[in-house]
Amino acid sequence: MSAITFQVNGRSHTLDLDPTTPLLYVLSDDLGLRGPKFGCGLGQCGACTAIVNGTALRSCITAVSAVAGKEITTLEGLGTPEKPHPIQKAFIEEQAAQCGFCLNGVILTAKALLDRKPHPTDAEIQGALSNVLCRCFTHTRMHRAIQRAAREVAR
Amino acid sequence: MTRESFAALDRRGFLKSAGALVVSFSISAPPMHAQFGNTPIPGSPQNDQVDSWIAVGADGMITAYSGKEELGQGIATAQQQLIAEELCVPFDRVKLLYCDTAMTPDQAYTSGSQSHPANFNHSNLALACATAREALLHKAAERLALPAEQLVIADGVIRARTDTSKRVSYAELVGGSRLHLALDPNAKRKPPREWTVLGKAVGRVDMAAMVTGEFEYVHNVRLPGMLHGRVVRPPSVGATVASVDESSVSTMPGVVKVVVRRNFVGVVAQKPWQAMQAAERLKVTWTPGPGLPKQSTFYDHLRSLPSRDALLVDSKDTSQVLAQSATVLRARYDHPYQMHGSVGSSCAVADVQGGKATLYSPTQGVWYQKTTGAMILGLKPQDVHVIFRRGAGCYGLNGADTVSYDALILSQAVEKPVKVQLSRKDEMAWENYGNAWTIDERAALDAAGNIVAWEHEAWTASLGNRPGPMTPGNVITGMLVGYSPAAFEPGPARDPRSYNNGSNGIPSYVAGRVAGVEGGTGTVKSEKVLVHTVQSPFWTGPLRSPARLQNTFAHESFMDELAARVKADPVEYRLRHLRNPRVVGVLKAAAKAANWETRPSPVGGRPKTGVVTGRGVACVAYEGDNGYTGIVVEVAVNQDDGRVAVKRMWVAIDAGPISNPDGLRNQAEGGALQGMSRALGEEVTWDDEKITSIDWRTYHSLPLGFELPRIECVLVDQPDERATGAGETSITVVAAALANAIFDAAGIRLRQVPFTVERVRQALQARV
Ligand code: FES
Ligand code: FES
């Protein structure tokens, strides 16, 4: 066990942890966050995505020791139902979900993309999402939502 | 009231908190003896009582109780629209609670595209609301001393048509009291043409919470003192526990207990990561299973096994007509086991202490979790409280039920709340797969090219199913602790007694004559459908459009082969053999949207290299009469490398009166793409002892990032028809339409799902 400090959604946390623990379980269990989810635990689906210092990472295969001193953003760090982030707003407007379980990975991956590239081409959106799964196959709406968010953010 | 406190509150508590006293209606309706589709579990709220479905609060809020749950398909929003519509209250004055054995009616499972027909027609929830509205109107007429005909209802207030000062609200009439009223089969429903809330594209009630990470999935349920469990499944199919060396993990940090019950092995720890590591490290010696049949010859193997046979239709003259016809076509179609493959592996939270159990479960059947969970725990059903909490989209029987048993067993062993989430591999290696099928189609044509006889003979492999009221052995955990799946007994077919096309075994183009009545949607009178069910080595269970999808793949591919044989246009040839206006309607609607060019397939005269495009069509009356869909698909086939790109899809769908057009569209689009993923890549694989498709590298789902086809949906509204199923309609027709489009483009016929690049390439090479 060792004390590890990191920021989550703007708040600093110092926790006494097994440093090999994947970040996902720290976020979802120790901190009780609902955004990051266990999908595969293998880095294959995206459900556990968190943004760490601006990069979308798979928290299920990222040891918590690797994020010491870093700034982490989860889905709840973007906005609230009352004040959604433009990307979240775009997903609401496009009604881009069915079960919604994959949304964490989809929205955070899109957020990291748009932060880096405010005007992505369709191919760039596809590329960013090439390892993200939605088994309800809400694909068309999600692509539309990301394009809409890009337009809104650009404005 | 918060989400959590709603769950904790029982019906009595709700009424108390809503205040006011209990007043009975003076009017009484005759007891209702209608069929509710299932026999409710004793102790569940009575389905024929209005109070079981709705309560009017002292504040005018309507609380409704439904046995059909939100799985991501949008039915909660649609039900809320229904309640608001029938009761004439604003949408947001309705609170819908569903699938909690302490308060909601037993409507069996939420599955099989049954929620829309069950609750939106003249029964159950819709009828309860209509009954209540009429009773409230009657009550208001008494109170206001005016005839009911002179009253109007809006926003939960009943007032005189001419004098707005004469008014009384629902809350004033009955707020906080029980209605004490039986469902009235004569209660009038609001006609779809007068709808103001239903029929509109109301946004999903859970959308904002989902996109902001506020939504509570079962994975997010946290109970005080909750521990974390992980299961250790057998390494191969049929393996049994020889010994467990608990000392292999006893010194690991956080480990609370190793739990062994017959062949069930699990570990409980303080934290999830500790439980995972302990499950990984625990030394279990297994006695190997009997081994598995070879996958490469599996479809032939299915045909050789003892079978339980069923005849769906038999005019008893097909062999004769086939023998006498100059033109007879035969084709065989194979469809693999496929997975539900939920994005989130299944999870449940159980708290079993002091002889009582509370279970938070993503199950599709809370009442059967209650009865079977009680069996597993050795408790009485009344001591088991099951509360539905959504998991990841399930598309049928994923690991939801089995992980619920896992959580119950582990919690009982440590007498503390335990959360269990399966590993990706444990989910994929042991779920109840969509059944494998191998199907023969045979048809005879007359001199004009019309079909005069059609035989369909299918073999399907089955083991286990959803847990019913008393069958926990239908899923892996139940079996591991000693229950068996329903025994398999081979037996010959008997003549069918009534027309039932629930499995879509009967093609759309035959008359479907059973017991002197033609129940089918087509014209061909010489017909026979025979289904052989054999024992599966793997667990099976309903996967979105079970049997319907596989049968439709065969029927609609074969129909295309027949049309091609007589050089007929595939749409025109279908229309020639159809007599049901709703199937005809969706077929024509899809063709029209796609700007269908009338000509036979394949296009022909194309180069044998490079990229060629083509279009294919398919249609179905889902379950014979529970939703109608037609589809046209446009593909590009790369003849150099075998890659198939789907360019466009036009989906026409008729689900009766449209309850929520955007919800319907979302289901139709999702079904179309899921169908495409299943047709192009998804297949369960195994070696000689175990499943080998155990993650997303070995089971091939289309990711979000691929070149998406453009999808256009045509919603066919039918305000005068019954509400039908919707969620499983579009997926049913995709594989066939894709195969037909590939044939149209490149002249190759794919008869085995999935149409992998390798299979397409082989077919292209084999082309003459
Ligand atoms: S859960 Fe991390 S990528 Fe799937
Ligand atoms: S919405 Fe269900 S997995 Fe994406």
Side-chain angles (χ1 to χ4, degrees):
Chain A
M1 301 292 262
S2 48
I4 298 174
T5 303
F6 46 85
Q7 301 258 326
V8 180
N9 301 328
R11 266 187 63 192
S12 179
H13 296 270
T14 301
L15 298 172
D16 196 27
L17 294 163
D18 168 357
T20 67
T21 310
L23 174 62
L24 171 61
Y25 312 117
V26 177
L27 296 175
S28 62
D29 190 54
D30 294 299
L31 299 183
L33 292 168
R34 292 178 177 180
K37 295 183 177 65
F38 179 95
C40 65
L42 305 165
Q44 297 174 352
C45 73
C48 63
T49 302
I51 297 183
V52 179
N53 282 8
T55 308
L57 280 190
R58 307 250 149 139
S59 69
C60 70
I61 49 167
T62 306
V64 67
S65 57
V67 302
K70 296 195 175 156
E71 168 70 47
I72 299 162
T73 307
T74 71
L75 192 56
E76 38 280 84
L78 298 193
T80 61
E82 297 72 36
K83 243 182 138 290
H85 181 278
I87 300 185
Q88 292 168 323
K89 205 160 147 266
F91 273 72
I92 296 171
E93 273 156 10
E94 294 291 343
Q95 290 286 299
Q98 289 177 62
C99 78
F101 200 89
C102 64
L103 280 172
N104 176 68
V106 181
I107 292 178
L108 290 181
T109 305
K111 161 92 167 64
L113 171 72
L114 294 184
D115 286 348
R116 215 170 55 240
K117 265 189 183 303
H119 306 284
T121 61
D122 284 357
E124 282 165 344
I125 295 177
Q126 267 169 39
L129 296 174
S130 60
N131 275 317
V132 180
L133 287 180
C134 171
R135 287 284 292 167
C136 296
F137 290 87
T138 322
H139 295 43
T140 41
R141 285 165 183 247
M142 290 183 175
H143 276 256
R144 273 209 305 272
I146 295 168
Q147 285 157 343
R148 177 192 278 259
R151 285 197 307 273
E152 297 287 320
V153 172
R155 249 198 243 149
Chain B
M1 205 179 293
T2 66
R3 205 169 26 216
E4 287 74 17
S5 54
F6 254 114
L9 205 58
D10 67 4
R11 307 173 62 85
R12 199 179 305 274
F14 167 77
L15 289 169
K16 231 192 261 158
S17 76
L21 35 109
V22 175
V23 190
S24 281
F25 274 105
S26 52
I27 60 161
S28 63
M32 177 151 169
H33 303 293
Q35 286 298 309
F36 292 102
N38 66 303
T39 312
I41 301 270
S44 61
Q46 287 177 286
N47 285 11
D48 64 351
Q49 293 297 310
V50 172
D51 289 324
S52 302
W53 300 95
I54 44 177
V56 181
D59 55 0
M61 277 295 289
I62 306 290
T63 303
Y65 307 91
S66 170
K68 299 294 184 184
E69 69 208 23
E70 179 62 50
L71 297 163
Q73 80 281 45
I75 200 71
T77 304
Q79 289 183 104
Q80 196 170 323
Q81 287 175 265
L82 167 76
I83 298 152
E85 182 68 59
E86 287 295 344
L87 283 172
C88 308
V89 297
F91 178 75
D92 52 14
R93 209 178 290 165
V94 176
K95 176 80 198 172
L96 177 72
L97 303 177
Y98 43 83
C99 296
D100 177 331
T101 59
M103 56 177 137
T104 61
D106 174 11
Q107 291 196 276
Y109 307 109
T110 300
S111 70
S113 291
Q114 295 302 323
S115 301
H116 197 225
N119 275 353
F120 289 69
N121 284 310
H122 206 71
S123 59
N124 301 321
L125 182 60
L127 191 58
C129 293
T131 304
R133 185 193 65 238
E134 291 200 339
L136 287 160
L137 188 67
H138 194 93
K139 187 92 186 148
E142 271 178 15
R143 176 82 67 93
L144 300 172
L146 286 168
E149 300 75 53
Q150 290 180 20
L151 301 176
V152 289
I153 316 179
D155 287 354
V157 175
I158 303 172
R159 62 168 175 81
R161 205 181 287 275
T162 47
D163 177 357
T164 48
S165 70
K166 291 194 174 149
R167 51 185 288 150
V168 59
S169 71
Y170 287 177
E172 288 161 348
L173 278 173
V174 296
S177 62
R178 281 157 195 271
L179 301 176
H180 291 301
L181 197 60
L183 266 61
D184 175 5
N186 299 317
K188 281 205 194 50
R189 297 282 317 283
K190 283 260 210 87
R193 287 187 172 78
E194 292 169 23
W195 284 349
T196 58
V197 188
L198 266 178
K200 302 282 176 280
V202 175
R204 286 269 299 271
V205 289
D206 45 0
M207 190 62 75
M210 288 194 297
V211 302
T212 54
E214 260 208 2
F215 188 83
E216 184 191 53
Y217 293 86
V218 67
H219 309 72
N220 307 119
V221 170
R222 295 159 73 88
L223 301 179
M226 184 176 83
L227 302 173
H228 296 268
R230 199 77 163 179
V231 294
V232 181
R233 297 282 195 236
S236 60
V237 175
T240 51
V241 172
S243 66
V244 178
D245 175 9
E246 295 189 18
S247 70
S248 58
V249 297
S250 52
T251 59
M252 287 180 75
V255 171
V256 175
K257 190 163 185 163
V258 173
V259 180
V260 183
R261 239 177 96 173
R262 279 193 187 224
N263 295 307
F264 173 91
V265 182
V267 184
V268 182
Q270 301 284 349
K271 293 186 159 218
W273 180 235
Q274 294 166 336
M276 289 177 203
Q277 287 174 301
E280 195 73 27
R281 191 100 47 96
L282 182 69
K283 260 211 208 111
V284 184
T285 311
W286 300 89
T287 307
L292 294 172
K294 264 200 172 1
Q295 182 156 22
S296 56
T297 50
F298 186 65
Y299 295 115
D300 294 330
H301 172 69
L302 287 188
R303 290 165 179 250
S304 72
L305 295 174
S307 63
R308 187 178 65 233
D309 294 349
L311 265 176
L312 303 188
V313 66
D314 187 7
S315 59
K316 312 242 187 233
D317 62 347
T318 48
S319 344
Q320 199 187 335
V321 181
L322 283 159
Q324 288 166 356
S325 295
T327 313
V328 174
L329 261 73
R330 295 183 166 81
R332 161 175 163 171
Y333 303 89
D334 297 326
H335 196 286
Y337 292 101
Q338 291 179 329
M339 285 186 203
H340 302 80
S342 295
V343 155
S345 58
S346 298
C347 177
V349 179
D351 185 6
V352 187
Q353 299 187 57
K356 302 245 187 237
T358 305
L359 174 69
Y360 295 85
S361 167
T363 178
Q364 290 176 283
V366 284
W367 289 92
Y368 303 151
Q369 262 299 327
K370 183 181 173 80
T371 52
T372 56
M375 289 167 75
I376 294 226
L377 295 171
L379 297 179
K380 296 198 188 72
Q382 58 265 38
D383 292 326
V384 180
H385 177 191
V386 183
I387 302 163
F388 170 78
R389 276 290 180 284
R390 191 192 306 172
C394 61
Y395 330 111
L397 177 60
N398 66 351
D401 286 293
T402 217
V403 80
S404 297
Y405 298 153
D406 293 332
L408 287 171
I409 292 166
L410 293 179
S411 174
Q412 186 176 42
V414 296
E415 296 181 70
K416 293 235 167 61
V418 174
K419 170 169 149 182
V420 181
Q421 183 168 14
L422 299 176
S423 71
R424 176 57 29 201
K425 178 180 168 190
D426 289 341
E427 176 90 14
M428 285 188 158
W430 297 102
E431 66 155 79
N432 293 60
Y433 305 125
N435 313 53
W437 288 77
T438 176
I439 298 170
D440 283 346
E441 302 274 18
R442 297 180 280 267
L445 304 178
D446 67 12
N450 294 320
I451 308 166
V452 288
W454 189 316
E455 277 188 356
H456 169 94
E457 185 171 8
W459 289 259
T460 180
S462 161
L463 173 71
N465 203 336
R466 292 180 202 286
M470 303 296 282
T471 47
N474 273 347
V475 296
I476 177 70
T477 306
M479 192 210 65
L480 291 174
V481 297
Y483 294 96
S484 309
F488 178 79
E489 279 163 29
R494 282 188 313 217
D495 279 338
R497 267 175 278 174
S498 63
Y499 177 83
N500 179 343
N501 203 14
S503 65
N504 283 113
I506 305 172
S508 299
Y509 309 99
V510 302
R513 187 180 182 88
V514 180
V517 181
E518 288 191 354
T521 52
T523 58
V524 180
K525 299 213 186 289
S526 179
E527 53 185 351
K528 182 175 178 183
V529 172
L530 175 61
V531 184
H532 311 276
T533 303
V534 304
Q535 188 144 29
S536 166
F538 312 111
W539 298 94
T540 61
L543 166 61
R544 200 171 185 183
S545 197
R548 300 118 175 107
L549 183 154
Q550 293 83 356
N551 283 323
T552 302
F553 164 59
H555 296 323
E556 288 295 306
S557 296
F558 191 54
M559 193 60 182
D560 220 63
E561 299 205 43
L562 295 171
R565 174 59 178 263
V566 301
K567 299 203 166 28
D569 172 78
V571 171
E572 183 275 322
Y573 195 68
R574 281 173 171 77
L575 291 173
R576 227 196 272 180
H577 295 90
L578 283 172
R579 60 185 172 92
N580 177 295
R582 295 178 76 179
V583 187
V584 167
V586 289
L587 174 60
K588 283 186 171 169
K592 184 168 170 229
N595 218 351
W596 182 266
E597 179 196 348
T598 303
R599 58 165 176 79
S601 288
V603 181
R606 292 276 189 75
K608 294 273 160 91
T609 56
V611 176
V612 284
T613 60
R615 86 302 203 239
V617 67
C619 58
V620 75
Y622 176 80
E623 294 183 337
D625 61 1
N626 188 27
Y628 303 82
T629 192
I631 192 169
V632 174
V633 172
E634 186 184 298
V635 299
V637 180
N638 186 325
Q639 301 180 101
D640 304 329
D641 62 12
R643 272 184 302 129
V644 174
V646 182
K647 293 296 185 190
R648 300 190 67 174
M649 293 174 134
W650 295 265
V651 183
I653 184 163
D654 164 0
I658 299 170
S659 294
N660 183 321
D662 193 59
L664 182 57
R665 219 177 273 277
N666 201 353
Q667 281 298 293
E669 291 168 357
L673 284 183
Q674 193 174 51
M676 175 177 157
S677 180
R678 285 174 64 176
L680 292 181
E682 298 188 26
E683 175 163 26
V684 171
T685 58
W686 63 90
D687 62 16
D688 51 13
E689 56 163 16
K690 64 182 183 305
I691 293 289
T692 53
S693 45
I694 49 169
D695 61 16
W696 298 118
R697 299 271 176 272
T698 46
Y699 189 76
H700 305 290
S701 174
L702 284 175
L704 266 162
F706 76 101
E707 205 192 319
L708 292 173
R710 265 171 60 198
I711 305 178
E712 196 179 307
C713 292
V714 183
L715 307 183
V716 181
D717 194 19
Q718 298 277 18
D720 301 319
E721 299 285 352
R722 285 168 49 83
T724 71
E728 302 193 318
T729 53
S730 72
I731 197 171
T732 307
V733 286
V734 179
L738 261 172
N740 297 342
I742 294 169
F743 174 74
D744 188 58
I748 52 170
R749 176 56 64 181
L750 297 171
R751 300 190 185 90
Q752 182 175 353
V753 172
F755 315 140
T756 57
V757 173
E758 194 48 44
R759 286 195 184 127
V760 175
R761 204 184 299 147
Q762 277 170 12
L764 287 165
Q765 276 159 7
R767 193 169 50 167
V768 281

